[in-house]
């Protein structure tokens, strides 16, 4: 790298106030100190890649630090840059390497074959656009709901909801590929660009006008990082809200449960979508909604983002944040901890088990809650 | 220290339903991603680690179709200095010895202290090219190498034997080693790195470039000939557990308990 970290990430503005570190969800349970990383970048005294600074892999890319910085410094981008520098040297930990190689070969980071991508839809009537066939309204189900058995419930629920509302959607079947959101955050910019190119061409060949995604992560990258894609990208919570407002989706079956809602970082903090999921949730009859103390822009991150699904966290200590979240939800008296992201679903559900709360609370995706009310 | 690594590109079949091609001489390749043979990837990494530590260059050599350039580029992205591909119809359908003969003709003119190969290929699984190559080059050879310690003009290798045993051999260099998976942790080749490597030259060698008599390589130079590939006959005693993952894993646990495995 010819240009210094200081110049690339405009670190000179930093006044070392420490707001970034104070808001960092992993700072108190790993030795990632993002203010220090900025300082050492600024003074050129620190390692120049994540190989020399392995704690950079702990960042969940929740963007708290970048959002909170009063001087417009971008600490999160610096951390991703350190990952990139390591990736360029081939220094990716084996789990990350495997996820990246799998994405290149199979179009998904889970090491699974492309021809198995639609197995989730096997017994369901899911419309697939043939090559070149118009698909103005595309449901982009995503890699994790395609392959991860628990997350498959998200896709399965959504297609039931779409069918009930008579939505004229299509999927791309096994031609769908990874969106690249996590790939970019793992620091593999070259692979990200390849995915952007391939996906853009694919969407255009189907005349896509609107993409509805299962995951906030896919929506985020389509909306914010695909350049002049010219396609509206919606998370399904936004889309369901529209369907409810237009009277196209009816939810007649009461779900008599006390429910709280965990804001996924890529829906909330990254895209300021706080109201739609709550509106959809409250449209389910019978639901009693209780709000977390730390919600909306103050919500805790579940630690499932930023490629962390494929990262072995470096020197963690103490309670996982997802466990704190689950304990808080139990204390609120919630039957269901609802979220709207496949990664949150997996990390929170895992945390129910590891925090000894099995049987006390269930983690439910918003799509599942809505499907229950059909 | 200079090292030559012989490697090949193979289809990835772990996730695929493998179907025989209509002529039964191969499998249907459509839709199968191509990649570096797994053990060869470890051989390449081992060569890169050694040359990083002891100074020197890695040259990668393959025999294969145009698509194999991809594994050579990936190798260069990871740090290989030179790449050679043996190409041309004369090499087609060679058996392991004919392939080794061709590789030996390319390797003998290179400068090297070690020749590394993967210990076996994941497609044909003959485990033979490395040994035959050593024979053609008249060099000592060891298979299933999981440990290497460099000495002065010699290398001490650990070979993986059955039952967790390791056989230690002291070998004079140059020698040919068949590297076993797990000896190291292969690095990642970034897409940017591969794109940069695609501008670098790959030395193409035909049989005549290498001074090889066409009858000595490829199908003509082979003493064995592939007659036909076939599916193994369906055996008995297998039980397919039906149901959702939760149900079938429950049934599996029951079976394991019943049979006294847990
Ligand atoms: S919040 Fe911004 S200004 Fe404050 S220490 Fe962090 S990077 Fe520097
Ligand atoms: S993005 Fe989030 S996890 Fe990463 S350093 Fe910033 S605050 Fe910490």
């Amino acid at each position: 790298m010819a240009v210094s970290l200081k110049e690339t990430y405009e670190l000179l503005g930093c006044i070392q106030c420490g707001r970034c570190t104070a808001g960092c969800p992993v700072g108190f349970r790993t030795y990632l100190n993002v203010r220090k990383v900025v300082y050492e970048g600024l003074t050129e005294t620190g390692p120049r890649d994540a190989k020399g600074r392995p704690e950079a892999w702990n960042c969940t890319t929740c963007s708290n630090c970048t959002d909170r910085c009063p001087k417009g410094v971008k600490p999160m981008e610096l951390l991703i840059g350190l990952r990139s520098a390591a990736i360029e040297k081939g220094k990716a930990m084996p789990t990350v390497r495997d996820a990246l190689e799998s994405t290149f070969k199979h179009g998904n980071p889970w090491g699974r074959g492309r021809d198995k991508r639609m197995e989730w839809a096997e017994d369901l009537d899911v419309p697939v656009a043939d090559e070149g066939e118009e698909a103005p309204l595309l449901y982009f189900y995503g890699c994790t709901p395609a392959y991860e058995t628990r997350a498959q419930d998200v896709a399965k629920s959504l297609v039931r909801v779409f069918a009930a509302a008579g939505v004229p959607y299509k999927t791309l079947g096994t031609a769908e590929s990874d969106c690249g959101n996590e790939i970019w955050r793992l620091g593999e910019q070259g692979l990200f660009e390849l995915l952007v190119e391939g996906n853009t061409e694919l969407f255009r060949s189907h005349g896509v006008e609107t993409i509805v995604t299962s995951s906030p992560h896919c929506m985020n990258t389509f909306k914010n990082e695909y350049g002049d894609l010219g396609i509206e990208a919606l998370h399904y919570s936004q889309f369901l809200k529209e369907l409810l407002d237009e009277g196209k989706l009816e939810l007649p079956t009461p779900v008599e449960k006390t429910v709280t809602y965990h804001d996924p970082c890529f829906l909330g903090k990254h895209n300021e979508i706080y109201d739609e999921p709550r509106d959809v949730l409250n449209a389910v009859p019978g639901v009693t909604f209780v709000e977390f103390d730390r919600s909306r822009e103050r919500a805790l991150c579940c630690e499932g983002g930023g490629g962390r699904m494929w990262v072995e966290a470096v020197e963690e200590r103490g309670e996982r944040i997802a466990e704190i979240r689950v304990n808080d939800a139990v204390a609120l008296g919630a039957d269901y901890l609802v979220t709207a992201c496949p990664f949150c679903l997996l990390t929170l559900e895992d945390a129910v088990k590891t925090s000894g709360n099995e049987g006390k609370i269930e983690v439910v995706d918003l799509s599942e809650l809505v499907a229950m009310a059909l | 220290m200079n090292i030559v690594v012989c490697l090949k590109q193979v289809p990835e079949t772990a996730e695929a339903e493998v179907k025989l091609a209509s002529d039964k001489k191969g499998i249907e390749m459509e839709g199968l991603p191509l990649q570096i043979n797994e053990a060869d990837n470890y051989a390449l990494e081992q060569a890169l680690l050694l040359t990083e530590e002891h100074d020197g260059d890695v040259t990668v050599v393959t025999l294969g179709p145009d698509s194999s350039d991809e594994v050579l580029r990936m190798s260069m992205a990871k740090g290989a200095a030179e790449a050679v591909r043996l190409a041309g119809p004369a090499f087609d359908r060679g058996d392991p010895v004919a392939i080794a003969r061709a590789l030996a003709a390319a390797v003998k003119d290179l400068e090297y202290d070690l020749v590394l190969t993967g210990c076996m290929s994941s497609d044909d699984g003959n485990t033979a090219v490395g040994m035959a190559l050593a024979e053609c080059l008249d060099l000592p050879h060891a298979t299933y190498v999981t440990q290497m310690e460099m000495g002065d003009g010699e290398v001490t290798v650990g070979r993986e034997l059955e039952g967790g045993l390791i056989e230690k051999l002291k070998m004079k260099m140059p020698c040919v080693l068949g590297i076993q998976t797990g000896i190291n942790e292969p690095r990642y080749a970034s897409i940017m790195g591969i794109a940069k490597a695609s501008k670098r030259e790959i030395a193409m060698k035909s049989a005549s470039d290498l001074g090889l008599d066409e009858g000595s390589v490829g199908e003509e130079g082979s003493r064995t000939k592939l007659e036909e590939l076939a599916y193994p006959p369906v055996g008995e005693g297998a039980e397919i557990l039906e149901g959702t993952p939760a149900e079938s894993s429950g049934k599996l646990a029951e079976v394991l308990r019943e049979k006294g495995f847990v």
Side-chain angles (χ1 to χ4, degrees):
Chain A
M1 220 189 317
V3 195
S4 69
L5 295 173
K6 176 169 68 179
E7 290 163 51
T8 312
Y9 300 100
E10 296 176 28
L11 304 179
L12 271 173
C14 175
I15 52 170
Q16 287 289 299
C17 68
R19 284 201 72 186
C20 47
T21 306
C24 176
V26 293
F28 70 91
R29 54 183 307 271
T30 79
Y31 58 97
L32 171 60
N33 179 330
V34 61
R35 177 200 53 75
K36 186 160 160 245
V37 178
V38 173
Y39 181 76
E40 293 182 1
L42 178 63
T43 52
E44 298 182 345
T45 52
R48 300 171 61 90
D49 66 52
K51 174 74 181 148
R53 190 182 276 295
E55 71 268 30
W57 291 106
N58 290 343
C59 169
T60 72
T61 70
C62 72
S63 98
N64 264 357
C65 52
T66 291
D67 291 353
R68 290 169 61 123
C69 175
K71 302 298 288 177
V73 177
K74 295 189 165 67
M76 176 181 75
E77 284 73 359
L78 169 63
L79 289 171
I80 295 173
L82 293 173
R83 291 177 176 186
S84 289
I87 296 266
E88 278 314 301
K89 293 183 193 140
K91 307 288 183 203
M93 67 179 78
T95 48
V96 169
R97 174 200 63 202
D98 293 349
L100 297 174
E101 287 181 352
S102 167
T103 304
F104 180 64
K105 280 188 296 202
H106 305 292
N108 75 79
W110 293 107
R112 303 293 313 281
R114 177 177 287 284
D115 49 356
K116 299 204 163 65
R117 202 176 167 95
M118 281 298 274
E119 273 182 356
W120 65 273
E122 232 156 47
D123 307 319
L124 304 165
D125 194 13
V126 177
V128 174
D130 289 331
E131 213 181 308
E133 188 186 332
E134 292 289 294
L137 179 59
L138 176 70
Y139 169 41
F140 189 93
Y141 53 89
C143 299
T144 305
Y147 294 109
E148 213 293 327
T149 38
R150 176 64 181 99
Q152 284 178 342
D153 295 333
V154 175
K156 288 179 185 172
S157 302
L158 277 177
V159 295
R160 276 185 59 209
V161 174
F162 293 161
V167 175
Y169 75 100
K170 290 241 165 57
T171 67
L172 296 178
T174 56
E176 187 189 286
S177 285
D178 189 282
C179 65
N181 192 73
E182 303 307 285
I183 302 303
W184 190 78
R185 286 161 178 82
L186 282 169
E188 197 3 336
Q189 270 69 24
L191 182 54
F192 175 74
E193 278 164 32
L194 219 58
L195 292 167
V196 171
E197 233 171 80
N199 285 332
T200 302
E201 206 173 293
L202 186 67
F203 296 156
R204 297 223 164 111
S205 76
H206 287 284
V208 175
E209 290 162 17
T210 304
I211 302 178
V212 178
T213 70
S214 312
S215 173
H217 294 249
C218 310
M219 179 273 289
N220 176 68
T221 195
F222 292 147
K223 186 172 147 202
N224 303 318
E225 289 152 3
Y226 263 55
D228 57 350
L229 182 63
I231 297 174
E232 181 186 35
L234 298 175
H235 178 250
Y236 77 80
S237 61
Q238 300 172 281
F239 185 64
L240 296 189
K241 165 81 169 127
E242 277 178 23
L243 291 179
L244 286 165
D245 287 351
E246 292 163 6
K248 289 182 183 154
L249 177 61
E250 282 172 28
L251 303 176
T253 313
V255 181
E256 305 287 350
K257 296 284 180 189
T258 301
V259 160
T260 187
Y261 174 71
H262 165 80
D263 288 278
C265 293
F266 278 81
L267 202 55
K269 282 192 268 285
H270 282 263
N271 288 291
E272 295 176 359
I273 298 166
Y274 298 111
D275 293 329
E276 289 91 334
R278 285 175 172 76
D279 291 345
V280 172
L281 200 151
N282 282 308
V284 174
V287 157
T288 309
F289 178 59
V290 285
E291 189 76 88
F292 272 116
D293 170 35
R294 296 199 57 168
S295 64
R296 301 175 76 99
E297 37 291 278
R298 289 180 57 244
L300 282 174
C301 159
C302 80
E303 295 189 79
R308 280 286 301 271
M309 299 304 282
W310 299 278
V311 167
E312 304 273 358
V314 182
E315 294 194 28
E316 290 181 295
R317 51 177 184 254
E319 206 178 8
R320 283 161 49 210
I321 302 168
E323 292 172 354
I324 297 174
R325 209 59 173 157
V326 168
N327 284 329
D328 287 353
V330 171
L332 280 173
D335 303 308
Y336 287 169
L337 167 51
V338 174
T339 188
C341 166
F343 294 150
C344 296
L345 180 68
L346 297 176
T347 48
L348 292 170
E349 198 165 270
D350 200 38
V352 168
K353 292 174 195 145
T354 54
S355 64
N357 280 303
E358 248 175 316
K360 290 189 206 151
I361 192 163
E362 275 179 64
V363 181
V364 172
D365 193 84
L366 179 63
S367 58
E368 296 179 281
L369 184 72
V370 172
M372 286 177 210
L374 288 176
Chain B
M1 183 170 59
N2 297 317
I3 304 179
V4 174
V5 182
C6 297
L7 39 79
K8 82 187 254 196
Q9 187 185 47
V10 293
E12 180 167 330
T13 50
E15 272 283 302
E17 241 171 80
V18 176
K19 292 193 200 87
L20 293 186
S22 53
D23 67 356
K24 298 203 178 155
K25 302 271 188 207
I27 59 169
E28 275 182 23
M29 296 290 282
E30 207 194 301
L32 295 179
L34 298 169
Q35 62 174 11
I36 183 170
N37 176 51
E38 191 187 10
D40 300 353
N41 200 21
Y42 287 86
L44 171 64
E45 180 66 29
Q46 195 61 19
L48 293 169
L49 291 172
L50 287 169
T51 50
E52 278 163 9
E53 195 185 329
H54 301 280
D55 281 342
D57 286 331
V58 174
T59 302
V60 284
V61 181
T62 195
L63 183 159
D66 294 354
S67 62
S68 326
D69 285 348
E70 205 179 297
V71 295
L72 297 178
R73 297 227 164 83
M74 187 201 79
S75 304
M76 289 198 275
K78 289 185 178 191
E82 308 281 342
V84 181
R85 177 156 73 87
L86 279 57
F91 296 119
D92 285 355
R93 290 179 295 281
D95 71 2
V97 176
I99 291 170
R101 205 175 281 131
L103 289 173
V107 171
K108 72 172 183 354
D109 297 331
L110 301 170
E111 261 183 50
Y112 60 88
D113 303 283
L114 279 172
V115 179
L116 304 186
T117 69
C119 63
M120 73 161 81
S121 63
S122 64
D123 52 358
D124 297 330
N126 284 311
T127 331
V129 170
M131 275 177 263
L133 176 63
E135 203 55 37
C136 295
L137 293 169
D138 201 16
L139 293 177
H141 179 247
T143 53
Y144 298 107
V145 172
T146 55
Q147 301 170 348
M148 284 179 76
E149 214 177 290
M150 304 311 296
D152 190 16
E154 59 185 27
V155 53
T156 307
V157 305
R159 293 183 61 237
E160 188 180 73
L161 301 183
E162 267 185 57
L165 290 178
I166 299 286
E167 179 185 56
K168 294 257 183 190
L169 297 174
K170 198 171 265 187
M171 298 175 70
K172 285 230 150 46
M173 297 203 297
C175 56
V176 181
L177 303 177
I179 302 294
Q180 171 67 305
T181 57
I183 188 174
N184 51 45
E185 198 57 83
R187 68 196 63 189
Y188 177 68
S190 76
I191 301 299
M192 232 102 89
I194 295 174
K196 270 185 222 148
S198 69
K199 295 190 189 98
R200 286 170 49 194
E201 206 182 326
I202 293 172
M204 304 298 259
K205 302 279 183 196
S206 68
S208 60
D209 291 340
L210 296 170
L212 282 163
D213 171 10
E214 294 210 353
S216 70
V217 292
E219 191 168 19
E220 260 191 81
S222 297
R223 292 199 191 176
T224 58
K225 194 169 156 228
L226 173 67
E227 278 296 308
E228 177 181 299
L229 291 175
Y231 296 105
V234 179
E236 282 179 18
E239 189 188 344
I240 308 276
L241 302 171
E242 306 279 348
T244 64
E247 287 162 7
S248 55
S249 56
K251 285 183 204 161
L252 178 62
E254 240 167 71
V255 173
L256 292 176
R257 212 173 301 133
E258 246 170 51
K259 308 260 181 204
F261 289 123
V262 283

